[in-house]
Amino acid sequence: MTVSSMQLPPLSLYVHIPWCVQKCPYCDFNSHAQPEVIPEAQYIAGLLDDLDADLPYAQGRKLESIFIGGGTPSLFSAAGIQRLLNGIAARIPFAADIEITLEANPGTFETERFAGFADAGITRLSIGVQSLQHQQLKRLGRIHDPAQAQTAAKHASSLPLHSFNLDLMHGLPEQTLASAMADLEGIIALNPPHISWYQLTIEPNTMFASKPPVLPNDDVLWEIYEQGHIRLAAAGYEQYEVSAYGKPGHRGQHNLNYWRFGDYLGIGCGAHGKITLPHEQKIIRTEKVKHPRGYLDLTRNFTFKQWQVEPDERVFEYFMNRLRLLEAVPKAEFTEFTGLPLAMAEKALADSIHKGFIENTATTWQTTETGRLYLNQVLSDLLTEDG
């Protein structure tokens, strides 16, 4: 294996804004209840200083996408978001067709800011609807109501954005097939260019983990998924990732870069980054200080830890990401983006190919329909092979 076998993948930027009005019981993200006054200006200055420290990792690349996540980034002012984007652009050039996404809640306070966000340079909003039913929103700890969610979606569709996404959960507490489909029909009626439709899972260290709600059984979950997938396809939405459905031309570019094992800088509280260093034949990961108080402490470094992804871990991480996509995986990219010989991938995938989970051609791998249903088993086999 030569140094030239590893290539620089596309580069994205993730920006984490950690504050929320309140913590949702299912949420395991790094989020914190907002203080009486959010230190917006101080935090933006910190983000840009954080980016300054990571600039060498850009290695001459342009940014293909930016994702501002949280927390609730729409708690920041449009002027603050514009100042942040201007600061980023002054440090790293933007690709001509850059996608810049901001996560937003559909409450009235945030919705009023949507036009300002578009003027500031946001090209895509990702709106956390989660349900269109009062009782479910209450169970999920959401502070908006169905009418506000509908208003937010309609307002987003009227703005000069390239796209917008609506998040919708299924498999909610005591949810039936009929209620799940009613939620999905309500979202489809709003005609978003993109829908993230994903199953609620109980994550450790959440309120739901300590007091688990009653969730639908596996048979109901399967019916919801099967019927929902058929309905989304009929409405013109193409599934391109496990939980992502887009109309033509509206796939989420930032998440695509994650799943295709691209690079990304991560700035902000608890943000993670993944960087390729081809001349050193290394892939490194970074994690920033999690708590806002520590992150804004000028006496310490923004980086909490940094580590190298070892070769056997690269195999698993590559396929853990790449196999989330329904598209075929070019075999040439495995060596280009991991720096590892193709034989390592072939050995790791052998069991899944034998079981019919992976279709193996001369130039590509691709999950079969069965493999998509048993993706966790495919990843478990990879871990067993690595071990």
Side-chain angles (χ1 to χ4, degrees):
M1 183 174 64
T2 63
V3 171
S4 62
S5 67
M6 195 178 225
Q7 298 184 15
L8 278 175
L11 180 67
S12 295
L13 173 67
Y14 175 74
V15 181
H16 192 75
I17 295 178
W19 293 286
C20 283
V21 175
Q22 66 181 31
K23 185 84 169 178
C24 296
Y26 60 85
C27 179
D28 68 337
F29 294 147
N30 182 33
S31 59
H32 304 266
Q34 68 181 76
E36 187 173 338
V37 178
I38 294 176
E40 180 178 301
Q42 183 186 8
Y43 192 73
I44 290 171
L47 288 170
L48 295 176
D49 286 345
D50 190 356
L51 182 58
D52 281 333
D54 279 359
L55 282 181
Y57 294 146
Q59 301 173 84
R61 290 172 288 182
K62 294 182 178 181
L63 284 177
E64 304 295 330
S65 66
I66 300 172
F67 193 99
I68 305 173
T72 307
S74 51
L75 291 174
F76 272 33
S77 68
I81 295 299
Q82 184 163 45
R83 189 162 63 251
L84 171 64
L85 293 177
N86 288 344
I88 295 169
R91 289 160 170 82
I92 307 180
F94 289 2
D97 59 348
I98 188 171
E99 175 192 88
I100 306 176
T101 301
L102 180 105
E103 284 187 333
N105 276 346
T108 302
F109 179 67
E110 289 85 358
T111 299
E112 291 171 350
R113 298 183 174 192
F114 284 5
F117 293 142
D119 290 341
I122 297 300
T123 68
R124 182 176 183 268
L125 287 171
S126 184
I127 304 171
V129 174
Q130 314 309 359
S131 177
L132 289 173
Q133 299 173 31
H134 282 282
Q135 185 61 30
Q136 291 292 10
L137 289 171
K138 185 176 179 181
R139 286 169 170 164
L140 294 172
R142 307 298 289 176
I143 60 172
H144 65 271
D145 61 35
Q148 288 175 319
Q150 292 165 339
T151 297
K154 291 173 183 176
H155 188 39
S157 67
S158 72
L159 296 173
L161 298 165
H162 169 67
S163 190
F164 70 94
N165 166 68
L166 299 183
D167 275 352
L168 179 69
M169 287 186 179
H170 60 88
L172 301 180
E174 301 177 20
Q175 189 173 50
T176 63
L177 172 62
S179 63
M181 292 303 294
D183 254 356
L184 187 56
E185 290 290 351
I187 291 294
I188 290 172
L190 294 169
N191 197 32
H194 190 281
I195 297 174
S196 294
W197 188 59
Y198 58 99
Q199 183 180 322
L200 170 66
T201 56
I202 306 301
E203 302 294 342
N205 304 314
T206 63
M207 285 185 275
F208 272 179
S210 59
K211 295 183 178 180
V214 178
L215 300 181
N217 63 40
D218 287 345
D219 289 340
V220 173
L221 290 174
W222 170 246
E223 287 182 333
I224 291 172
Y225 173 79
E226 188 175 44
Q227 294 302 312
H229 179 70
I230 292 170
R231 182 66 188 93
L232 283 162
Y237 292 93
E238 179 189 14
Q239 183 185 25
Y240 64 96
E241 187 264 341
V242 171
S243 58
Y245 296 77
K247 291 191 173 181
H250 289 281
R251 294 183 175 188
Q253 296 305 308
H254 188 83
N255 282 349
L256 273 176
N257 191 45
Y258 285 159
W259 309 140
R260 288 172 176 162
F261 211 55
D263 277 359
Y264 49 95
L265 303 173
I267 60 173
C269 295
H272 287 249
K274 176 246 171 188
I275 301 298
T276 302
L277 302 173
H279 295 296
E280 301 177 39
Q281 288 288 287
K282 289 181 181 178
I283 294 175
I284 61 169
R285 290 198 174 271
T286 60
E287 181 183 343
K288 302 303 171 64
V289 173
K290 287 187 176 182
H291 198 281
R293 187 165 52 249
Y295 183 82
L296 293 173
D297 181 354
L298 298 180
T299 66
R300 62 189 297 175
N301 196 300
F302 293 107
T303 299
F304 172 63
K305 61 180 177 179
Q306 178 176 306
W307 66 98
Q308 182 177 335
V309 182
E310 299 299 332
D312 58 342
E313 295 171 326
R314 288 184 216 172
V315 177
F316 176 75
E317 288 198 10
Y318 178 83
F319 286 113
M320 179 183 69
N321 286 281
R322 210 58 176 82
L323 295 179
R324 286 185 65 96
L325 295 172
L326 274 60
E327 67 187 19
V329 181
K331 289 185 176 181
E333 281 189 6
F334 175 79
T335 295
E336 290 172 359
F337 288 176
T338 67
L340 302 173
L342 191 61
M344 288 187 70
E346 292 173 337
K347 181 174 183 289
L349 292 176
D351 282 350
S352 292
I353 292 170
H354 178 72
K355 292 174 181 176
F357 294 158
I358 302 286
E359 180 183 359
N360 182 35
T361 75
T363 58
T364 65
W365 302 289
Q366 188 171 21
T367 50
T368 61
E369 188 173 350
T370 303
R372 291 168 204 153
L373 297 175
Y374 291 95
L375 186 56
N376 286 340
Q377 182 60 53
V378 173
L379 297 179
S380 177
D381 288 348
L382 280 168
L383 277 175
T384 301
E385 190 63 49
D386 286 344

